[in-house]
Amino acid sequence: MIRTRQPCISAAERAAARQKILATVQQIPKGQVCSYSYVALIAGFPGRARLVAKILSDLPLAHQIPWQRVITASGRIAFPGDQPAHAIQRALLESEGQVFVGGKLRMADVGWRPMDERPLLD
DNA sequence: AAACTGACGTGAT
DNA sequence: CATCACGCCAGTT
């Protein structure tokens, strides 16, 4: 197979990134959601939201990853509304108790933000 | 190698 | 709020 250009990161790096990213997605608790960019941040790849999207899009059919808990930073499902995957993701999220308001989830309420955990001091 | 694509994000309007 | 434009990144054609 001839490649005309090197990938932006090596295959090994990409495999490692994939593991870190999927491990992070696994940690999103049921009842909460997380943005692509935040997953990237937690996994150690700040600014690479689109890499997270790519990794998820490459998931095999049979997997245990709660991919549905990854949505856009604005609280919307990333798939265009006319795509079947959009309805599937929405149904999965609603089955875990999520409520869409105006086509969006309230990230302030259900957003998983482990980095924000801090001692109850102030 | 340039253009294109997309499961993204953000700021301006 | 809703759109839009533009920036961004990792491929893909």
Side-chain angles (χ1 to χ4, degrees):
Chain A
M1 172 111 181
I2 299 175
R3 193 204 303 281
T4 58
R5 195 186 108 187
Q6 291 298 104
C8 296
I9 58 181
S10 74
E13 286 174 311
R14 181 145 188 281
R18 180 190 148 90
Q19 289 313 307
K20 292 279 291 180
I21 287 168
L22 292 185
T24 300
V25 174
Q26 289 269 34
Q27 293 172 16
I28 306 172
K30 184 176 183 180
Q32 293 190 273
V33 295
C34 188
S35 72
Y36 295 87
S37 61
Y38 201 78
V39 167
L41 179 67
I42 296 301
F45 304 95
R48 302 194 210 185
R50 301 192 101 126
L51 176 59
V52 174
K54 182 65 170 71
I55 298 300
L56 293 185
S57 74
D58 289 341
L59 282 176
L61 260 50
H63 61 76
Q64 309 298 93
I65 309 294
W67 62 274
Q68 72 273 20
R69 295 176 196 157
V70 186
I71 63 179
T72 72
S74 60
R76 312 185 70 95
I77 288 174
F79 293 103
D82 59 347
Q83 291 186 16
H86 181 103
I88 293 172
Q89 184 170 12
R90 176 161 177 156
L92 284 171
L93 287 170
E94 289 177 332
S95 78
E96 16 183 276
Q98 297 293 0
V99 177
F100 285 80
V101 180
K104 306 169 53 174
L105 293 181
R106 289 184 165 258
M107 293 304 272
D109 298 337
V110 297
W112 181 58
R113 309 201 71 84
M115 299 285 281
D116 289 358
E117 290 174 10
R118 51 179 170 272
L120 308 170
L121 286 181
D122 71 324

